[in-house]
Amino acid sequence: MKKNLLLLFICVFLVGCQQSADQNITADSTVVSKVTFSPDTEMGLTLKEALEIAHKEALKWNKKAMLYSGTSVDKDKTPKGMEGKRKHWNIEFGLPDKTDYYLVTIRDGKVLDKVHLPNELKPMTKSHFISRVEEFKYDTPELLKKAQKITEIYPGDTFAKGYNFGFTKDPEKNFPLVMIIGWDRAKKNMIYSMFNAVTGELEEVFEKEQYKN
């Protein structure tokens, strides 16, 4: 179950990044790129800040809406996320035992769009969802610092630029997970650090080869 959960999360994240990646990608991924970083603007949001905005919007759709999954989106021209914040987020919601899927898109600190698909999800129990943003005791700024200390993680440059973030729920252990996403030094493999959002403890670290699900 846990492996399936992680694979689903990675696929969603990679598809989102691929859709917004630059057309010109470095031919030799073994060479460390020299990247000029731009500071995060005041419109950048931490994961918890994005969740609060999205959840308020989802409750307008359905008072029983619960957090399901989500990621930051790589739409900036220059790498972002060095302080644990991103301007672009896609936050997904659902209803326990229902097939409803609700997506809230956040851009520059506010809701840009929302989409309801009534038959998108397979029915899942409440254990797959997160009911309150308050369940996240740790946020992306402090967890990014932890990830940088625990493993050699670097910001991306041409694909999944900077650092990216996401969340999901571990239905077996019954707590939310925060994902810190970066790269190895050669920019060949993406590194995923999965943290317990309640305790801040690292649950798992794994790598995926560039562009491969």
Side-chain angles (χ1 to χ4, degrees), residues 55-84:
H55 199 197
K56 287 180 181 178
E57 188 66 34
L59 292 176
K60 297 177 184 177
W61 160 65
N62 192 305
K63 293 182 179 180
K64 295 182 180 180
M66 300 179 72
L67 292 156
Y68 175 56
S69 183
T71 65
S72 58
V73 182
D74 186 28
K75 283 186 173 293
D76 293 291
K77 292 183 178 180
T78 57
K80 299 290 183 180
M82 267 56 73
E83 297 177 359

Side-chain angles (χ1 to χ4, degrees), residues 148-184:
Q148 291 170 324
K149 290 179 180 179
I150 292 171
T151 184
E152 290 189 26
I153 187 171
Y154 298 87
D157 47 17
T158 60
F159 177 79
K161 298 184 291 293
Y163 292 109
N164 279 277
F165 315 101
F167 79 96
T168 188
K169 174 77 176 286
D170 188 326
E172 297 177 353
K173 296 183 178 180
N174 198 33
F175 54 70
L177 295 161
V178 175
M179 183 83 81
I180 307 296
I181 307 166
W183 292 85
D184 64 5

Side-chain angles (χ1 to χ4, degrees), residues 1-9 168-173 175 177 194 202-206:
M1 174 66 76
K2 187 173 181 180
K3 287 185 178 179
N4 291 337
L5 186 69
L6 296 180
L7 287 173
L8 175 62
F9 182 93
T168 188
K169 174 77 176 286
D170 188 326
E172 297 177 353
K173 296 183 178 180
F175 54 70
L177 295 161
M194 189 81 80
L202 181 67
E203 291 290 320
E204 187 174 359
V205 177
F206 55 93

Side-chain angles (χ1 to χ4, degrees), residues 31-46:
V31 178
V32 179
S33 302
K34 294 181 179 180
V35 184
T36 301
F37 298 112
S38 298
D40 294 334
T41 70
E42 67 277 10
M43 300 310 294
L45 300 176
T46 69

Side-chain angles (χ1 to χ4, degrees), residues 48-106:
K48 286 183 66 174
E49 290 170 342
L51 293 181
E52 288 171 357
I53 293 172
H55 199 197
K56 287 180 181 178
E57 188 66 34
L59 292 176
K60 297 177 184 177
W61 160 65
N62 192 305
K63 293 182 179 180
K64 295 182 180 180
M66 300 179 72
L67 292 156
Y68 175 56
S69 183
T71 65
S72 58
V73 182
D74 186 28
K75 283 186 173 293
D76 293 291
K77 292 183 178 180
T78 57
K80 299 290 183 180
M82 267 56 73
E83 297 177 359
K85 297 182 178 183
R86 299 291 303 212
K87 294 192 297 180
H88 310 279
W89 295 87
N90 285 341
I91 310 298
E92 303 169 314
F93 296 84
L95 301 169
D97 303 312
K98 303 291 184 182
T99 60
D100 294 85
Y101 170 86
Y102 194 74
L103 173 66
V104 177
T105 299
I106 295 175

